Amino acid sequence: MNVLVTGGAGFIGSNLIHFLLSQKPEWNLINVDSLTYAGNLENLSSCDDNPRYSFELADITDTVRIHEVFDKHHPDFILHLAAESHVDRSVLDPLVFVRTNVLGTQVLLDEMRKTVPGSRFLHVSTDEVYGSLGAEGYFTEETPIAPNSPYSSSKAGSDMLVRAAFITHGLDTVITRCSNNYGPYQFPEKLIPLMLNNAWAGKPLPVYGDGRNVRDWIYVDDHCSALLAVLENGRSGEVYNIGGNNEWANIDIVKLILRQAEASEDLIQFVTDRPGHDHRYAIDATKIEKGLGWQPRHSFEEALPLTIKWYGDNIEWTRRIVSGAYRDYYEQQYGQRLG
Ligand code: NAD
Ligand code: TYD
């Protein structure tokens, strides 16, 4: 089986490639990534000598290059994770989100239809497409799409294009919508690694608004196992929500991190709220749990300390991102400079 993963050098993509290489010994994994600031090939350095892993430097909006990659590898499965993923950046610069998330998804769907029409396309989306909840209720797969940020709107747009490819062209597509992930290799602009690194450095921890916004946190390995379940057994044309059943207000997570990092709560700094900040996300994952027998296996109590330990043991990984040295890895490995 040839399995193409877009965005494999990012946070979830690199965890997914490690996960699939260990779980699926007969699969070849092809990582297709353009290495934006969020792509870090060092996440996959331990796979470099694995004959079942290969890397293709490609922008998913580049039709010519994407055709070359599909023509070379003829994927049986396409796991589509490549995206611009940070809400704050989408507030400042939405166009690149539309380009990669919307246009890039259509380029992949067109190429699949042309080159490998019998393959399966798993589109990795987000619970943020449903918009924001009040104190009560959960997102189900029937919740109307009502995104609020340029990021979530561009993801919602891509979801609609995937749906259209299923209905109009009969392509075999499935969509997943997952809640907030945490774990190793997360770019240090996202809440948990950012707060942890600031706590260790004795820098202020910027909490948006009153810190009462709620997110449902899932350990990244549990997201990976859910993606595998949907890829292998999900029903064509369907959407599957994925969640950790683990809701936390931001301020409570920040205090927990400070305690585990043995740093003072005096570092907390309430700052101007994010514009359009969604109040609460919460997932009803009954469909994947009952339909595909999937369950998250990691509790927050067990996996958050493991995650913190990982960032502590890999402080050099963060340092190389902060200094920009991580960008040199591609040239060292493949002998070409990144554009
Ligand atoms: P990330 O930002 O860490 O990684 C994104 C990857 O995509 C990077 O390696 C980047 O280089 C690559 N990429 C960006 N633009 C590209 C382009 N034009 N062509 C090729 N590659 C490109 O993101 P992540 O947190 O790992 O998220 C992965 C996917 O999962 C995204 O689609 C995101 O919407 C979705 N998701 C993320 C979360 C979360 O909590 N992080 C939750 C639910 C869903
Ligand atoms: P983030 O990790 O950016 O994920 P998302 O916005 O996709 O949920 O943020 C998680 C929550 O943490 C969100 O409510 C915004 C908040 N947040 C802060 O309060 N301060 C920060 O510096 C960041 C990055 C996020």
Side-chain angles (χ1 to χ4, degrees):
M1 295 291 267
N2 288 338
V3 180
L4 195 147
V5 178
T6 72
F11 162 48
I12 300 172
S14 54
N15 278 284
L16 182 64
I17 287 175
H18 286 298
F19 178 86
L20 292 177
L21 283 171
S22 74
Q23 297 291 313
K24 290 286 171 186
E26 70 284 16
W27 286 10
N28 297 315
L29 276 297
I30 304 115
N31 175 11
V32 176
D33 199 297
S34 65
L35 300 181
T36 69
Y37 79 94
N40 185 351
L41 275 186
E42 293 187 347
N43 300 354
L44 294 160
S45 55
S46 64
C47 310
D48 282 337
D49 296 329
N50 189 330
R52 293 192 293 117
Y53 168 76
S54 58
F55 174 65
E56 296 282 359
L57 182 70
D59 186 323
I60 58 166
T61 65
D62 179 342
T63 50
V64 173
R65 183 72 188 109
I66 289 302
H67 177 66
E68 274 172 17
V69 170
F70 273 62
D71 201 36
K72 177 171 164 195
H73 296 283
H74 278 266
D76 301 284
F77 289 142
I78 299 145
L79 286 149
H80 176 35
L81 291 89
E84 288 292 336
S85 71
H86 191 42
V87 175
D88 294 327
R89 286 178 187 259
S90 80
V91 174
L92 298 172
D93 184 13
L95 263 186
V96 64
F97 285 71
V98 176
R99 185 177 166 275
T100 286
N101 300 1
V102 182
L103 190 66
T105 300
Q106 188 60 46
V107 167
L108 293 170
L109 290 166
D110 285 349
E111 187 54 45
M112 170 185 173
R113 188 154 71 93
K114 193 159 64 179
T115 313
V116 280
S119 64
R120 163 159 273 208
F121 190 96
L122 194 169
H123 178 60
V124 178
S125 190
T126 165
D127 60 355
E128 301 193 27
V129 300
Y130 296 122
S132 183
L133 291 166
E136 303 289 320
Y138 296 89
F139 298 135
T140 72
E141 290 80 0
E142 270 68 54
T143 301
I145 301 296
N148 294 316
S149 72
Y151 163 63
S152 53
S153 303
S154 64
K155 291 296 290 189
S158 61
D159 288 19
M160 295 301 101
L161 293 171
V162 173
R163 174 189 153 88
F166 169 73
I167 292 178
T168 307
H169 297 297
L171 294 187
D172 179 7
T173 66
V174 269
I175 297 176
T176 56
R177 297 191 179 131
C178 188
S179 59
N180 286 61
N181 286 222
Y182 67 98
Y185 304 120
Q186 188 164 30
F187 200 81
E189 64 186 351
K190 301 283 170 68
L191 181 80
I192 290 180
L194 177 89
M195 296 297 169
L196 191 55
N197 289 321
N198 283 14
W200 278 330
K203 289 192 192 153
L205 276 58
V207 174
Y208 298 161
D210 61 6
R212 302 306 318 165
N213 303 65
V214 173
R215 299 292 183 263
D216 170 9
W217 292 91
I218 184 171
Y219 190 57
V220 64
D221 255 20
D222 285 329
H223 187 186
C224 294
S225 67
L227 293 178
L228 181 57
V230 173
L231 185 68
E232 291 194 304
N233 298 312
R235 285 186 47 183
S236 199
E238 301 258 325
V239 174
Y240 292 87
N241 284 352
I242 303 166
N245 209 6
N246 177 43
E247 287 183 52
W248 285 82
N250 293 337
I251 186 68
D252 295 331
I253 295 233
V254 168
K255 287 182 178 168
L256 196 62
I257 289 173
L258 281 168
R259 265 202 303 284
Q260 297 199 12
E262 297 178 2
S264 161
E265 288 191 9
D266 294 344
L267 290 173
I268 294 174
Q269 196 172 77
F270 290 96
V271 299
T272 308
D273 208 353
R274 169 188 281 173
H277 195 173
D278 285 337
H279 176 66
R280 174 171 167 259
Y281 304 141
I283 282 279
D284 177 342
T286 308
K287 181 173 172 179
I288 186 171
E289 289 178 1
K290 292 239 164 80
L292 303 184
W294 171 86
Q295 286 278 340
R297 287 186 31 247
H298 299 273
S299 72
F300 204 52
E301 290 68 29
E302 165 229 340
L304 183 67
L306 274 183
T307 300
I308 293 177
K309 182 173 178 329
W310 186 89
Y311 284 98
D313 292 346
N314 293 277
I315 204 97
E316 194 51 29
W317 178 86
T318 303
R319 282 207 191 107
R320 289 175 62 77
I321 290 178
V322 174
S323 73
Y326 75 115
R327 304 287 297 162
D328 299 337
Y329 189 82
Y330 176 74
E331 186 176 359
Q332 285 157 14
Q333 199 62 27
Y334 296 93
Q336 285 167 325
R337 272 211 81 69
L338 276 179

